[in-house]
Amino acid sequence: MDSPARLRMTRTALFPVGLLALCTVPLAFAAPWTPVLLVVPLAAAVWVLRAGVDIAGDGLTVRTLVGQRLVRWDELAGIRVARRGALWLVTTRGTEVHVPVMRARDLPRLAELSGGRIDVPPPAESHQ
């Protein structure tokens, strides 16, 4: 894998963040201490632009609002799917790392981009 595959939130998510900023402006200038409220839409915009996962030859780099964590391929024990479809990387040490902006429906795409390192079984057929 030459360059990492970057999976991020769609940029259309900035539209509600812009609306939040627009609605926050009147409140932000209501009192001397309220301009601090403008930090909320700013943090939301940074999260939309930054949160995601990079898939590279050395492993998966999970990026959040303020940090990042590299899970090397040899440290990856599996992937856990939580109740609402959220994905968690399970490491060989027994720790778990939440994968932001990806859901269970994204597993086939993640498996494809991993270059065969992640295997996703086909969905079970329902017998009715």
Side-chain angles (χ1 to χ4, degrees):
M1 202 177 289
D2 295 334
S3 63
R6 300 178 60 135
L7 302 174
R8 299 286 185 269
M9 184 176 288
T10 177
R11 299 300 185 241
T12 58
L14 289 172
F15 181 71
V17 172
L19 288 176
L20 175 65
L22 187 66
C23 293
T24 305
V25 168
L27 294 172
F29 297 105
W33 64 271
T34 55
V36 172
L37 293 175
L38 292 173
V39 171
V40 174
L42 179 65
V46 170
W47 182 76
V48 166
L49 295 172
R50 181 166 161 74
V53 63
D54 296 340
I55 304 166
D58 58 345
L60 299 162
T61 303
V62 178
R63 298 182 190 280
T64 59
L65 180 64
V66 293
Q68 66 184 24
R69 177 159 178 210
L70 172 65
V71 177
R72 298 193 181 281
W73 292 116
D74 58 348
E75 296 173 355
L76 184 64
I79 298 176
R80 181 174 69 85
V81 179
R83 282 182 127 181
R84 294 187 166 197
L87 298 181
W88 292 80
L89 301 177
V90 181
T91 67
T92 54
R93 296 180 187 163
T95 60
E96 293 185 350
V97 180
H98 180 254
V99 181
V101 306
M102 293 192 74
R103 311 295 284 173
R105 66 179 174 265
D106 299 318
L107 276 173
R109 185 174 174 205
L110 182 62
E112 178 186 339
L113 292 171
S114 73
R117 293 181 180 102
I118 297 174
D119 185 32
V120 178
E125 293 183 24
S126 62
H127 300 288
Q128 295 180 2

